[in-house]
């Protein structure tokens, strides 16, 4: 390897180091928690996901063994729905911020399904 190759590697190193930091910085860590349940009440094989509402979004975060998430939020008063899916262990669903009660359902890559409710005042 020549000097140019080594200098190029060092010049590009900050780009690779900052990329994962930026991705994790985009996911907020605080919000209104959503208590989740499983329809079959069986203990999951993996760590239970964390769910919360924050500023017009519902976030679902799972452990690294989860490779995809698909979820839907339904406003109970009129059955209006918002859905999204992800090919990672984090899902963000853009939802209404209107006052009301909402129902969250989602399924993980391992087939486990969950549901939870939250209310916005």
């Amino acid at each position: 390897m020549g000097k140019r190759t080594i200098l190029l590697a060092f010049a590009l190193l900050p780009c690779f180091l900052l990329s994962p930091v930026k991705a994790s910085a985009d996911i907020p860590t605080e919000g209104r928690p959503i208590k989740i349940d499983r329809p079959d009440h069986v203990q999951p094989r993996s760590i239970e996901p964390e769910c919360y509402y924050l500023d017009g979004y519902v976030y679902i975060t799972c452990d690294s063994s989860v490779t995809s998430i698909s979820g839907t939020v339904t406003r109970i008063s009129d059955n209006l729905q918002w859905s999204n899916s992800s090919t990672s262990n984090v899902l963000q669903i853009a939802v209404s911020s209107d006052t009301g009660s909402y129902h969250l359902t989602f399924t993980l890559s391992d087939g486990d399904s969950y549901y939870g409710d939250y209310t916005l005042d």
Side-chain angles (χ1 to χ4, degrees), residues 64-78:
S64 59
S65 68
V66 173
T67 58
S68 66
I69 308 169
S70 179
T72 300
V73 172
T74 304
R75 185 167 48 207
I76 295 172
S77 64
D78 58 5

Side-chain angles (χ1 to χ4, degrees), residues 45 62 64-70 86 88 107-112:
R45 292 174 293 229
C62 303
S64 59
S65 68
V66 173
T67 58
S68 66
I69 308 169
S70 179
S86 168
S88 72
T107 304
L108 307 181
S109 54
D110 63 6
D112 288 340

Side-chain angles (χ1 to χ4, degrees), residues 60 70-74 81 91 93 103-107 114-116:
I60 302 167
S70 179
T72 300
V73 172
T74 304
Q81 294 186 328
L91 175 63
I93 305 172
H103 183 71
L104 166 66
T105 58
F106 61 96
T107 304
Y114 295 84
Y115 64 91

Side-chain angles (χ1 to χ4, degrees), residues 1-14 16:
M1 287 195 315
K3 280 186 178 179
R4 287 185 183 171
T5 305
I6 293 172
L7 288 175
L8 180 61
F10 280 119
L12 294 176
L13 188 60
F16 294 113

Side-chain angles (χ1 to χ4, degrees), residues 14 24 27 44 68:
S24 63
I27 302 168
S68 66

Side-chain angles (χ1 to χ4, degrees), residues 89-100:
N89 64 335
V90 176
L91 175 63
Q92 177 182 355
I93 305 172
V95 297
S96 173
S97 56
D98 293 344
T99 300

